[in-house]
Amino acid sequence: MRTYCKRVDIENPAIVSGWIFDYLHGEKNRPPKWRRKDYQLFMVEWSCYSLGEIKLAVEYHNHNILLEICDDIAREVCARIRRRDLRLAPIKFFKRIDGISLKERDISHESIMQQIMDAVAVYALMPLFKAKILPHQYASIKNRGQVAGANKIAKWIRRDKRCRYYGKADVKKCFQSLSRRVIMRLLRRDIRKNATLLWLVDSLLSTYWRIENGKVVILGLVIGTLLSQWLCNYALSYLFRYVQGLRRTQRRRGEIREVKLVYHILFYMDDIFVTGLRAADVQSALRKAATWAKKMLGISLHDEFKILGFATNAVDMMGYVIGYESTTIRARIFLRARRHYLRAAVWLRHNKRLTLRRAQNVISYYGYFKNSDSTHIKAKLNVETIFAVAKRNVSFYTLVNYQKGPIAA
């Protein structure tokens, strides 16, 4: 049986420092974490540089200083790992209502040190994640967001004649249901030769607890942590492979052969989408998936599966409604997006520029118009013009804030 991450050394500060630098630098389309005040104060705590010096290093991209700070943090992280004592502050939790689904969710907020250790664990586990997480698992993975998933579904239903029926299911409280025991069982199977990495992940998972009514409640994975989202995708990859391998025996003209129950599978984190030739096959696949998931992963699928035909029902998933001829925006999201653009248009008639919050709202909903067939409504709402103004305004506010930072320091 193949194992992964055998030669990954998380006790080597030279390796860990590079991971920390990449994590703080952030991705291409997101602001670096070292621009945040809480991260800058953390960097002051674990380095010999003052807050003003760190702000200047961040503003002028002085990577020499930033690399030195990452080296100092890495030495502390590796020392704690070698001592087998992470010494992390308890995780705080707060409730937030999802603006789209209106569900109340418990969001975790880790200390900066734990966020960095999560990043170290994820970078160390990346060879495993790249091998196990499949191409059609979307959400929380670079270049595999809502738009990529919606485009893939559109391609399947418009080009593949085998896509006649589809089924949708989702996992009940997926993060809470995936227990530490299940995750560690899978990891011991796949990275059993790296005892230090196993210990680190197990120790981080052991911090997922909270106090409710005076009692300690042990949690599975938690929403809001980098490690949890990767481990969730990793665990669900086993369910994906199981569904992918489902077959049934077909007798045709005296011949017996095996045919797939479903031809296309897509996971959007804990939402499952499958397509097939027959409604009975799709339903059978989801029933078997539910039984297997409960037995092997300890998670449950909602009992009411949606089995629909493409001929009469478009696919409502990932914020879009995808049909044979066009892709539109989900109704609830469209109403919110339309409201923000109408309010922005009214505001611009009486003011020179948008407020920062209003500009950010306009930008956040622009992707739905851009990636759907919304030509007429875009023209009616003047989406492109308002979006261009919002971008300029956000750049203006960002520049003002950056100029204030080093001066105040």
Side-chain angles (χ1 to χ4, degrees):
M1 187 184 296
R2 183 175 180 181
T3 59
Y4 302 87
C5 310
K6 289 179 286 189
R7 296 179 180 83
V8 177
D9 186 5
I10 59 174
E11 295 180 349
N12 186 345
I15 296 173
V16 173
S17 176
W19 293 341
I20 294 173
F21 181 88
D22 289 342
Y23 173 69
L24 296 179
H25 185 275
E27 297 179 358
K28 187 176 180 181
N29 297 324
R30 294 185 178 182
K33 285 186 169 52
W34 53 41
R35 287 195 181 277
R36 285 171 41 178
K37 186 67 176 289
D38 54 347
Y39 274 87
Q40 290 175 355
L41 292 173
F42 175 81
M43 293 162 75
V44 169
E45 182 182 356
W46 294 104
S47 71
C48 60
Y49 292 97
S50 67
L51 182 60
E53 290 171 330
I54 290 173
K55 285 186 174 182
L56 287 171
V58 170
E59 182 181 2
Y60 295 109
H61 307 286
N62 189 338
H63 286 177
N64 291 329
I65 291 178
L66 296 173
L67 280 169
E68 286 182 26
I69 296 171
C70 290
D71 289 341
D72 293 335
I73 298 172
R75 279 191 286 271
E76 175 62 23
V77 169
C78 292
R80 294 188 185 189
I81 293 172
R82 282 193 295 269
R83 292 195 301 265
R84 298 294 191 268
D85 181 13
L86 297 183
R87 292 190 291 117
L88 298 172
I91 299 175
K92 298 177 181 178
F93 292 88
F94 61 93
K95 294 188 181 294
R96 175 173 291 173
I97 296 176
D98 190 313
I100 304 301
S101 64
L102 300 180
K103 293 179 181 177
E104 187 179 71
R105 304 187 189 278
D106 291 321
I107 310 297
S108 65
H109 179 67
E110 300 177 314
S111 64
I112 303 295
M113 180 60 81
Q114 182 156 357
Q115 291 178 41
I116 288 174
M117 288 192 176
D118 274 4
V120 169
V122 167
Y123 278 104
L125 289 167
M126 198 52 68
L128 170 68
F129 292 150
K130 286 182 177 179
K132 292 293 183 180
I133 296 175
L134 295 160
H136 294 151
Q137 283 185 259
Y138 292 80
S140 304
I141 301 174
K142 189 176 181 181
N143 299 326
R144 289 195 233 167
Q146 290 173 282
V147 176
N151 289 340
K152 182 60 65 176
I153 292 174
K155 181 179 177 181
W156 288 339
I157 67 177
R158 294 168 191 171
R159 298 185 184 181
D160 193 343
K161 294 181 180 179
R162 297 174 299 181
C163 292
R164 295 183 183 176
Y165 294 90
Y166 71 89
K168 287 175 63 180
D170 63 307
V171 182
K172 294 179 182 177
K173 298 184 177 180
C174 182
F175 274 60
Q176 297 175 25
S177 301
L178 280 169
S179 67
R180 173 185 173 190
R181 179 182 57 82
V182 169
I183 295 294
M184 292 310 300
R185 173 169 56 81
L186 297 176
L187 289 176
R188 288 189 187 98
R189 175 185 181 275
D190 291 326
I191 60 168
R192 61 184 179 278
K193 294 185 179 180
N194 195 328
T196 306
L197 182 54
L198 277 171
W199 175 85
L200 175 62
V201 177
D202 192 34
S203 298
L204 290 171
L205 292 178
S206 70
T207 65
Y208 296 167
W209 56 270
R210 63 189 300 178
I211 296 176
E212 292 182 2
N213 300 323
K215 296 181 180 179
V216 175
V217 178
I218 304 299
L219 305 174
L221 301 179
V222 295
I223 300 173
T225 72
L226 181 67
L227 182 60
S228 287
Q229 67 188 34
W230 279 99
L231 289 176
C232 182
N233 277 314
Y234 162 68
L236 291 179
S237 70
Y238 283 89
L239 178 58
F240 192 112
R241 285 186 173 82
Y242 173 78
V243 177
Q244 202 172 36
L246 290 174
R247 302 284 193 278
R248 67 175 173 86
T249 302
Q250 182 184 62
R251 294 176 180 271
R252 197 170 189 179
R253 296 175 184 175
E255 293 183 2
I256 299 175
R257 61 172 184 168
E258 286 192 339
V259 295
K260 291 182 176 181
L261 288 183
V262 293
Y263 289 95
H264 297 293
I265 311 164
L266 184 145
F267 279 25
Y268 185 64
M269 191 55 85
D270 60 344
D271 289 336
I272 302 169
F273 172 83
V274 294
T275 72
L277 272 170
R278 304 192 316 159
D281 289 346
V282 173
Q283 189 166 33
S284 175
L286 290 178
R287 283 176 177 169
K288 290 179 178 179
T291 303
W292 187 91
K294 184 65 178 177
K295 179 181 177 182
M296 302 303 295
L297 300 177
I299 57 178
S300 302
L301 303 188
H302 285 283
D303 298 330
E304 296 180 0
F305 306 133
K306 291 183 179 179
I307 313 296
L308 301 169
F310 285 110
T312 55
N313 298 276
V315 181
D316 186 348
M317 195 166 179
M318 292 174 289
Y320 295 93
V321 179
I322 309 150
Y324 275 129
E325 297 180 352
S326 63
T327 299
T328 57
I329 307 170
R330 182 182 290 164
R332 281 181 299 181
I333 297 175
F334 171 73
L335 291 175
R336 284 173 171 271
R338 177 177 174 272
R339 189 182 306 128
H340 282 300
Y341 275 85
L342 288 173
R343 288 175 177 174
V346 172
W347 183 272
L348 286 173
R349 290 193 202 110
H350 303 93
N351 298 276
K352 200 172 182 180
R353 62 173 62 90
L354 298 170
T355 63
L356 178 60
R357 180 69 178 272
R358 198 177 296 277
Q360 289 171 337
N361 287 333
V362 164
I363 291 172
S364 67
Y365 282 99
Y366 175 72
Y368 289 104
F369 291 106
K370 179 182 177 182
N371 296 291
S372 62
D373 300 314
S374 307
T375 305
H376 296 298
I377 194 66
K378 280 172 68 178
K380 187 175 181 180
L381 296 175
N382 203 13
V383 167
E384 294 293 347
T385 302
I386 295 174
F387 173 71
V389 173
K391 278 182 66 177
R392 288 198 301 271
N393 292 169
V394 169
S395 298
F396 168 77
Y397 290 119
T398 304
L399 181 62
V400 169
N401 289 335
Y402 288 167
Q403 287 177 344
K404 285 181 179 178
I407 295 171

